């Protein structure tokens, strides 16, 4: 195991405190069998000398889980500063809103449609986002080396009634795979957690570490599209890394990205001391 990662407890605390509101559980409506996790991502466009930043905002998930027309996005307390009118949002023509990012396996949804849906219901989103500072760079990825690295997926399991979708931090490992330095997830992936953000902790000097979002958890190779449970001997799930994702997002045509809107970026913490 790589020595560049901090202890489990500190990293899990950092994930929950910084990114607990960045994930959304979604599913095919009307008792469908496809369940996934998506998360908010702010793509940094510009930053001035005073630290004021402008970004475009997207949802990210595994593209294989978006190929149906009617979706249900489950809501939970804390995602709005005012009362929500329901426990879920219904989205028509779901698959039409997602933009595939080349052959990465990831698709993005400009979040303008989500903000519009909330406004019609007279509430506003209050979320955490994966920011440019937290999304892994090529340098971050190179630091992981070739040894297995402890990793953490922030996803939403499928409860017994198929609507609970409780958030959980799933602990596993990522391992380099193939000639191009990609990664696969080695460990349990509960149903509903495909599409989730995957985090690692990069060790800094002393007891400090940098929390990094490595990328997006994809469906298991040879597994079901819904991301069914696996184990160490089951299908290993590729992780699409943010170095490729960032490049693909910034290569989107202006017309495709226009629904993301632009706004000043909120400040986000990703540096932590280990307890």
């Amino acid at each position: 195991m790589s020595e560049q990662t901090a202890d489990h407890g500190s990293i899990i605390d950092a994930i929950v405190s910084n990114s607990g509101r960045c994930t959304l559980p979604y599913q095919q409506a009307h008792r469908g069998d496809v369940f996934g996790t998506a998360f908010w991502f702010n793509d940094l466009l510009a930053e001035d000398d005073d630290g004021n930043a402008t970004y475009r905002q997207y949802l990210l998930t595994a593209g294989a889980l978006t190929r149906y027309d009617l979706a249900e996005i489950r809501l939970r307390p804390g995602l709005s500063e005012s009362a929500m009118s329901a426990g879920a949002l219904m989205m028509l023509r779901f698959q039409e809103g997602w933009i595939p990012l080349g052959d990465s396996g990831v698709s993005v949804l400009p979040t303008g449609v989500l903000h519009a849906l909330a406004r019609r219901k007279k509430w506003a989103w209050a979320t955490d986002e994966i920011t440019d500072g937290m999304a892994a760079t090529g340098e971050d990825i190179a630091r992981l080396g070739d040894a297995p690295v402890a990793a953490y997926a922030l996803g939403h399991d499928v409860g017994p009634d198929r609507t609970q979708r409780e958030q959980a931090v799933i602990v596993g490992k990522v391992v380099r795979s193939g000639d191009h330095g990609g990664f696969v997830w080695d460990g349990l992936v509960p149903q509903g957690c495909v599409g989730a953000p995957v985090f690692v902790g990069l060790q800094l000097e002393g007891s400090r570490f940098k929390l990094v979002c490595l990328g997006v958890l994809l469906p298991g190779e040879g597994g079901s599209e819904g991301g069914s449970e696996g184990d160490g001997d089951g299908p290993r799930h590729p992780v699409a890394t943010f170095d490729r994702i960032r490049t693909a997002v910034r290569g989107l045509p202006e017309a495709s990205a226009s629904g993301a809107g632009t706004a000043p970026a909120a400040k986000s913490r990703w540096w932590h001391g280990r307890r």
Side-chain angles (χ1 to χ4, degrees):
M1 183 71 67
S2 170
E3 296 180 356
Q4 296 179 15
T5 54
D7 65 272
H8 289 311
S10 294
I11 294 179
I12 290 171
D13 287 348
I15 291 169
V16 173
S17 63
N18 284 277
S19 303
R21 296 184 303 172
C22 84
T23 60
L24 288 176
Y26 66 93
Q27 58 204 66
Q28 187 177 16
H30 301 319
R31 308 295 292 182
D33 293 324
V34 183
F35 301 85
T37 297
F39 62 96
W40 300 77
F41 167 59
N42 289 348
D43 179 38
L44 182 67
L45 299 179
E47 187 172 11
D48 62 26
D49 293 339
D50 296 325
N52 299 312
T54 302
Y55 64 87
R56 282 202 177 105
Q57 190 177 74
Y58 301 91
L59 278 190
L60 270 61
T61 194
L65 305 188
T66 63
R67 298 168 185 162
Y68 48 90
D69 290 330
L70 183 60
E72 178 180 312
I73 294 179
R74 302 300 303 176
L75 303 174
R76 61 190 186 279
L79 293 183
S80 173
E81 294 179 356
S82 58
M84 295 176 174
S85 57
L89 287 176
M90 301 297 290
M91 292 189 64
L92 303 174
R93 298 185 295 277
F94 186 61
Q95 64 184 354
E96 295 178 15
W98 291 89
I99 306 167
L101 296 182
D103 62 355
S104 68
V106 176
S107 290
V108 298
L109 175 72
T111 58
V113 62
L114 294 177
H115 291 293
L117 285 170
R119 283 195 299 270
R120 286 203 291 270
K121 300 293 185 179
K122 302 188 184 304
W123 55 272
W125 292 96
T127 62
D128 300 321
E129 301 86 28
I130 301 302
T131 63
D132 190 70
M134 189 183 290
T137 65
E139 181 179 2
D140 293 329
I141 292 168
R143 286 186 57 192
L144 294 176
D146 295 324
V149 176
Y152 310 80
L154 185 63
H156 291 265
D157 199 352
V158 177
D161 66 358
R162 298 160 62 94
T163 62
Q164 289 176 305
R165 303 305 305 275
E166 296 290 338
Q167 187 186 69
V169 178
I170 300 97
V171 180
K173 294 180 291 185
V174 289
V175 183
R176 287 197 186 269
S177 175
D179 297 333
H180 300 291
F183 288 87
V184 293
W185 175 274
D186 184 9
L188 175 71
V189 177
Q191 186 179 19
C193 294
V194 169
V198 175
F199 298 87
V200 295
L202 298 180
Q203 192 69 52
L204 304 176
E205 293 182 3
S207 62
R208 289 162 56 83
F209 68 92
K210 179 183 179 183
L211 179 65
V212 169
C213 184
L214 179 62
V216 179
L217 187 63
L218 300 180
E221 296 174 343
S224 71
E225 199 169 80
S228 59
E229 288 191 10
D231 54 35
D233 298 323
R236 298 202 299 175
H237 295 249
V239 177
T241 54
F242 254 112
D243 54 344
R244 294 185 62 197
I245 292 170
R246 185 186 283 105
T247 299
V249 166
R250 292 177 182 174
L252 291 175
E254 185 67 26
S256 297
S258 60
T262 59
K267 295 186 182 298
S268 177
R269 296 174 290 113
W270 61 89
W271 302 91
H272 280 262
R274 187 166 55 184
R275 295 178 181 176

